[in-house]
Amino acid sequence: MRISSALITGMALALTLSACGAGGGSDSDNTPLRPPPRVASLGPFVGECGHVTDDEVQNLAGLGRVSRVFKNSTGCNWQSSGAVSPSVTFASYRGSPIDREKAWVTTAGREPETIEVGGRKGWKGLDPNGKICDLAVQLDDDFFEWSMSYGLFAATANPCDNAYKLAELTVQRLG
């Protein structure tokens, strides 16, 4: 008796559930539970190392003699010799939120200030000692960043001024 009751209950439940999915409306009546994912639009091509040459980095960075020590598909780094010596870094971020980088710079003690480079919005953050600057520029859903560090050497100028010069070249040469 219990088996037949369970069988009848199971069949009734199956019929009830199948009836719920057999609505008479068209497919256009079915709305998704969440919006489709947003596809990031690619910004302009920033080129290898931000379209800036090694000589331009050396001249504009104001850090004396620096040499490129690495280059990959997203960035480049130039350094003087020594572990805590001056350095310059360029990085390109595709489809990444610039505000996440801004939040990281803020937690590192460099309070970002809104800027504009060649008509493009961005920000720069200088550390309280005046030896490190991060400068980022928005390019549609992408952004690039120039970072400069004077290392342990005495700052001869504001590193954000020099990073701005490099950012200007990158924006002028966008592809």
Side-chain angles (χ1 to χ4, degrees):
M1 191 72 168
R2 286 186 184 185
I3 293 176
S4 61
S5 292
L7 187 58
I8 292 173
T9 303
M11 288 177 61
L13 182 60
L15 284 172
T16 303
L17 291 175
S18 67
C20 290
S26 69
D27 286 342
S28 64
D29 292 342
N30 296 334
T31 57
L33 297 177
R34 57 182 139 165
R38 183 178 166 279
V39 177
S41 64
L42 296 179
F45 180 59
V46 295
E48 184 178 273
C49 300
H51 285 302
V52 177
T53 68
D54 293 347
D55 288 339
E56 289 170 327
V57 170
Q58 186 170 335
N59 293 332
L60 294 174
L63 301 176
R65 188 152 179 77
V66 294
S67 301
R68 186 172 37 177
V69 293
F70 79 80
K71 169 180 70 172
N72 62 29
S73 62
T74 60
C76 298
N77 178 261
W78 297 263
Q79 294 182 354
S80 293
S81 60
V84 289
S85 61
S87 67
V88 179
T89 302
F90 171 82
S92 171
Y93 299 88
R94 287 269 190 208
S96 184
I98 193 172
D99 287 336
R100 183 181 340 169
E101 186 71 12
K102 187 176 186 179
W104 181 88
V105 167
T106 302
T107 61
R110 299 185 283 277
E111 193 58 42
E113 171 187 326
T114 301
I115 62 168
E116 192 172 296
V117 179
R120 304 218 180 232
K121 300 274 186 216
W123 51 262
K124 65 180 179 178
L126 180 65
D127 81 315
N129 296 323
K131 292 186 174 191
I132 300 172
C133 177
D134 296 296
L135 187 146
V137 177
Q138 186 78 53
L139 303 171
D140 300 327
D141 288 331
D142 306 338
F143 74 96
F144 69 83
E145 180 177 18
W146 280 98
S147 297
M148 294 189 61
S149 170
Y150 284 145
L152 291 179
F153 297 95
T156 56
N158 180 334
C160 286
D161 294 341
N162 296 340
Y164 189 90
K165 293 172 190 173
L166 292 165
E168 280 182 315
L169 280 181
T170 299
V171 169
Q172 288 170 9
R173 298 171 179 172
L174 289 175

